[in-house]
Amino acid sequence: MATHTHPRQNLSDLTARLRQHAQRITGPRQLILEVLRREDHPLTARQIHGQLDCDLATVYRSLRLLEEMAMVKRFDFGDGTARFELLGQNDDGHHHHLVCRECSTVVEIGECFSGNLEQRIAREHGFADVSHRLEFFGLCPDCQTT
Amino acid sequence: MATHTHPRQNLSDLTARLRQHAQRITGPRQLILEVLRREDHPLTARQIHGQLDCDLATVYRSLRLLEEMAMVKRFDFGDGTARFELLGQNDDGHHHHLVCRECSTVVEIGECFSGNLEQRIAREHGFADVSHRLEFFGLCPDCQTT
DNA sequence: TTCTATTTGCAAATCATTTGCAATAAGGGG
DNA sequence: CCCCTTATTGCAAATGATTTGCAAATAGAA
């Protein structure tokens, strides 16, 4: 369990969270949550849509909603396509990824640099409420042999 | 001068570098370099195009070329629009930015976390040739008063 | 200056994502 | 359990960044 602790929450927990936010529990939303629940790596909207039977626009709309209510987190690997991961109940989802430049394999990274750096940067420049986005890229073991 | 040291290279240096790569020195390419030279923050293709008199497609094509020959570096602030900065002669351009979530003001950040972290992550997961992308986001002094 | 391979401009194509709108479904109230 | 109001969906079309095909323009070598 050195890897990212993934919330193995069940569907009713998830729908309960939806309900808390006074949102309707619709078919597509449940399906999207199910898909995200069984993956522990970020998925693109298109990938999610591929495992579903609803409109792609609905997937985008639902993901945005779920992101606003902090049930999913959006990641950006710089390839022009957003990826989404399910968040646990009290999880701010702060973690990073190590992505293979060749095959796009993704490894979840729990570690991060010390908060010092962030605070120092914020202070030095007078910024408030500073967060960061950090992703690693490299060649995975398989792709090194090519 | 605590800020990112920006290469105040002149145009002939730049065209010389172009020439080294056996590329033609065309009007648009020189113009793009001139625009980038007088900015010390990353610009979008559209911003560059706004200060020029050539086709937007040419800007994109030139930027890609310049990126391939390591004369400009592409940055991604996660807003779906790439930004570009001029690189110095022997500069790998590795640095980061602090971006205001409100007004998009950009501050260049020279510091970075210790290379240890990156190496440890690479080793732990068997990845090679690991690099990273790191950007900070927050509220700049002006936008905090809102 | 001439010739040829590059490069440009323009328009159209892509790709991810968003949006307008009429049709449909969720969930509270009776 | 049915009805009604409102949120949500599907579909198609719009958007915005970026790329591409192709014929016309041009940089640089001969």
XYZ file of all heavy atoms in Angstrom, chain C residues 6-21:
325
model
P 13.780 20.454 -49.056
O 14.755 19.672 -48.269
O 12.554 19.801 -49.580
O 13.364 21.714 -48.190
C 12.775 22.806 -48.876
C 12.920 24.051 -48.067
O 12.397 25.103 -48.885
C 12.058 24.047 -46.808
O 12.583 25.029 -45.913
C 10.704 24.427 -47.367
C 11.065 25.393 -48.504
N 10.213 25.249 -49.717
C 9.632 26.384 -50.224
O 9.781 27.487 -49.729
N 8.875 26.180 -51.345
C 8.644 24.989 -52.002
O 7.958 24.943 -53.013
C 9.285 23.827 -51.397
C 9.088 22.479 -52.003
C 10.034 24.013 -50.294
P 11.818 25.278 -44.491
O 12.783 25.976 -43.613
O 11.184 24.025 -44.063
O 10.683 26.319 -44.893
C 11.078 27.588 -45.406
C 9.874 28.452 -45.675
O 9.201 28.013 -46.872
C 8.815 28.470 -44.567
O 8.540 29.836 -44.286
C 7.623 27.759 -45.195
C 7.813 28.069 -46.662
N 7.214 27.118 -47.621
C 6.469 27.626 -48.664
O 6.260 28.804 -48.826
N 5.979 26.675 -49.519
C 6.147 25.306 -49.448
O 5.660 24.569 -50.294
C 6.931 24.849 -48.323
C 7.172 23.390 -48.132
C 7.421 25.767 -47.474
P 7.449 30.200 -43.156
O 8.005 31.291 -42.335
O 6.966 28.947 -42.519
O 6.279 30.803 -44.050
C 6.568 31.889 -44.923
C 5.363 32.216 -45.769
O 5.086 31.101 -46.652
C 4.091 32.458 -44.951
O 3.577 33.750 -45.247
C 3.128 31.358 -45.398
C 3.713 30.856 -46.702
N 3.566 29.389 -46.911
C 2.929 28.939 -48.035
O 2.444 29.692 -48.861
N 2.872 27.569 -48.159
C 3.383 26.639 -47.294
O 3.289 25.438 -47.532
C 4.038 27.175 -46.125
C 4.614 26.250 -45.098
C 4.097 28.510 -45.990
P 2.439 34.346 -44.284
O 2.669 35.804 -44.192
O 2.316 33.527 -43.058
O 1.147 34.078 -45.186
C 1.112 34.586 -46.511
C -0.182 34.156 -47.197
O -0.131 32.731 -47.460
C -1.451 34.399 -46.385
O -2.423 34.900 -47.295
C -1.814 33.013 -45.849
C -1.286 32.086 -46.936
N -0.813 30.773 -46.490
C -0.089 30.497 -45.353
N 0.242 29.235 -45.255
C -0.288 28.636 -46.396
C -0.249 27.279 -46.827
O 0.289 26.312 -46.292
N -0.927 27.103 -48.025
C -1.551 28.106 -48.730
N -2.147 27.742 -49.855
N -1.591 29.376 -48.336
C -0.948 29.576 -47.160
P -3.764 35.549 -46.726
O -4.105 36.688 -47.612
O -3.654 35.738 -45.274
O -4.800 34.375 -47.037
C -4.783 33.756 -48.324
C -5.697 32.545 -48.334
O -4.951 31.360 -47.987
C -6.865 32.627 -47.351
O -8.062 32.363 -48.039
C -6.548 31.572 -46.314
C -5.747 30.566 -47.136
N -4.853 29.709 -46.335
C -4.545 28.432 -46.817
O -5.002 28.066 -47.897
N -3.737 27.625 -46.081
C -3.257 28.050 -44.904
N -2.477 27.222 -44.232
C -3.572 29.348 -44.395
C -4.359 30.138 -45.137
P -9.476 32.397 -47.240
O -10.383 33.276 -47.988
O -9.242 32.615 -45.806
O -9.943 30.892 -47.459
C -9.452 30.169 -48.590
C -9.775 28.705 -48.380
O -8.731 28.085 -47.584
C -11.076 28.482 -47.610
O -11.775 27.385 -48.160
C -10.612 28.245 -46.187
C -9.280 27.532 -46.403
N -8.322 27.745 -45.318
C -8.167 28.860 -44.531
N -7.232 28.746 -43.620
C -6.734 27.467 -43.820
C -5.718 26.720 -43.176
N -5.002 27.196 -42.172
N -5.482 25.475 -43.630
C -6.200 24.989 -44.650
N -7.183 25.591 -45.336
C -7.394 26.835 -44.861
P -13.162 26.913 -47.450
O -14.147 26.864 -48.545
O -13.428 27.709 -46.236
O -12.840 25.421 -47.015
C -11.898 24.652 -47.773
C -11.425 23.478 -46.934
O -10.420 23.926 -45.988
C -12.546 22.858 -46.096
O -12.390 21.444 -46.107
C -12.309 23.437 -44.708
C -10.794 23.520 -44.688
N -10.247 24.473 -43.717
C -10.713 25.723 -43.407
N -10.015 26.334 -42.475
C -9.014 25.425 -42.156
C -7.944 25.463 -41.243
N -7.698 26.503 -40.453
N -7.137 24.380 -41.175
C -7.389 23.337 -41.979
N -8.365 23.181 -42.879
C -9.145 24.272 -42.914
P -13.309 20.494 -45.164
O -13.781 19.390 -46.014
O -14.254 21.350 -44.410
O -12.266 19.883 -44.135
C -11.075 19.296 -44.661
C -10.252 18.753 -43.507
O -9.738 19.857 -42.745
C -11.049 17.881 -42.526
O -10.240 16.777 -42.154
C -11.331 18.828 -41.371
C -10.097 19.717 -41.379
N -10.295 21.058 -40.824
C -11.276 21.959 -41.142
N -11.177 23.102 -40.479
C -10.058 22.932 -39.675
C -9.418 23.774 -38.740
N -9.841 24.997 -38.446
N -8.317 23.294 -38.122
C -7.891 22.055 -38.429
N -8.407 21.175 -39.289
C -9.495 21.686 -39.887
P -10.940 15.519 -41.423
O -10.437 14.315 -42.079
O -12.406 15.764 -41.309
O -10.336 15.559 -39.969
C -9.848 16.796 -39.460
C -8.916 16.535 -38.320
O -8.616 17.815 -37.748
C -9.568 15.721 -37.199
O -8.556 15.032 -36.480
C -10.253 16.783 -36.379
C -9.316 17.988 -36.518
N -10.006 19.298 -36.581
C -9.494 20.322 -35.821
O -8.517 20.195 -35.116
N -10.185 21.493 -35.922
C -11.290 21.749 -36.680
O -11.810 22.860 -36.680
C -11.773 20.625 -37.465
C -12.985 20.805 -38.326
C -11.117 19.473 -37.378
P -8.921 13.777 -35.549
O -8.028 12.666 -35.918
O -10.388 13.629 -35.612
O -8.522 14.270 -34.085
C -8.088 15.619 -33.880
C -8.225 15.984 -32.424
O -8.687 17.352 -32.359
C -9.254 15.170 -31.642
O -8.798 15.038 -30.303
C -10.503 16.000 -31.743
C -9.937 17.418 -31.693
N -10.785 18.421 -32.389
C -10.673 19.762 -32.001
O -9.863 20.073 -31.118
N -11.467 20.673 -32.608
C -12.327 20.284 -33.550
N -13.082 21.220 -34.108
C -12.446 18.930 -33.961
C -11.653 18.030 -33.354
P -9.670 14.224 -29.202
O -8.770 13.271 -28.527
O -10.938 13.756 -29.794
O -10.018 15.403 -28.172
C -8.948 16.001 -27.448
C -9.491 17.188 -26.695
O -10.152 18.069 -27.624
C -10.530 16.823 -25.631
O -10.243 17.576 -24.463
C -11.858 17.218 -26.267
C -11.458 18.372 -27.167
N -12.305 18.518 -28.358
C -12.684 17.546 -29.237
N -13.451 17.974 -30.207
C -13.581 19.340 -29.943
C -14.273 20.373 -30.604
N -14.995 20.177 -31.709
N -14.191 21.607 -30.073
C -13.466 21.788 -28.972
N -12.769 20.915 -28.269
C -12.877 19.687 -28.811
P -11.128 17.327 -23.146
O -10.335 17.771 -21.996
O -11.730 15.981 -23.176
O -12.284 18.413 -23.355
C -11.909 19.777 -23.507
C -13.121 20.622 -23.781
O -13.631 20.370 -25.103
C -14.303 20.396 -22.825
O -14.512 21.595 -22.102
C -15.465 20.052 -23.748
C -15.009 20.610 -25.080
N -15.604 19.994 -26.276
C -16.258 20.821 -27.165
O -16.347 22.022 -27.015
N -16.806 20.185 -28.248
C -16.776 18.831 -28.536
O -17.314 18.382 -29.533
C -16.074 18.015 -27.554
C -15.969 16.535 -27.753
C -15.518 18.635 -26.495
P -15.769 21.774 -21.151
O -15.352 22.670 -20.064
O -16.343 20.450 -20.859
O -16.782 22.586 -22.087
C -16.280 23.704 -22.792
C -17.413 24.389 -23.532
O -17.812 23.603 -24.675
C -18.682 24.628 -22.709
O -19.078 25.964 -22.974
C -19.682 23.612 -23.266
C -19.218 23.485 -24.701
N -19.500 22.204 -25.372
C -20.140 22.234 -26.591
O -20.524 23.251 -27.123
N -20.311 20.994 -27.173
C -19.917 19.776 -26.675
O -20.119 18.738 -27.299
C -19.251 19.821 -25.390
C -18.804 18.552 -24.756
C -19.083 21.017 -24.812
P -20.284 26.627 -22.178
O -19.891 28.029 -21.944
O -20.659 25.743 -21.054
O -21.486 26.624 -23.239
C -21.213 27.005 -24.575
C -22.492 26.908 -25.392
O -22.597 25.600 -25.993
C -23.788 27.116 -24.594
O -24.670 27.881 -25.393
C -24.310 25.700 -24.400
C -23.859 25.052 -25.703
N -23.674 23.581 -25.660
C -24.001 22.865 -26.792
O -24.449 23.370 -27.797
N -23.775 21.513 -26.699
C -23.267 20.829 -25.615
O -23.104 19.620 -25.667
C -22.952 21.649 -24.461
C -22.413 21.006 -23.227
C -23.166 22.969 -24.545
P -25.981 28.557 -24.749
O -25.781 30.012 -24.733
O -26.316 27.834 -23.492
O -27.090 28.211 -25.852
C -26.780 28.329 -27.246
C -27.944 27.796 -28.065
O -27.812 26.356 -28.196
C -29.308 28.028 -27.445
O -30.259 28.205 -28.484
C -29.557 26.760 -26.638
C -28.858 25.694 -27.499
N -28.244 24.592 -26.743
C -27.552 24.685 -25.565
N -27.086 23.530 -25.163
C -27.495 22.625 -26.139
C -27.277 21.220 -26.245
O -26.658 20.472 -25.485
N -27.876 20.700 -27.385
C -28.582 21.417 -28.306
N -29.084 20.753 -29.330
N -28.785 22.732 -28.222
C -28.215 23.266 -27.116
P -31.785 28.617 -28.138
O -32.265 29.458 -29.263
O -31.887 29.089 -26.743
O -32.502 27.194 -28.259
C -32.193 26.337 -29.360
C -33.008 25.065 -29.249
O -32.228 24.035 -28.586
C -34.283 25.215 -28.407
O -35.328 24.459 -28.989
C -33.881 24.650 -27.063
C -32.977 23.503 -27.511
N -32.039 23.010 -26.481
C -31.585 21.688 -26.579
O -31.938 20.990 -27.535
N -30.738 21.213 -25.635
C -30.366 21.995 -24.612
N -29.536 21.479 -23.709
C -30.830 23.341 -24.499
C -31.656 23.799 -25.446
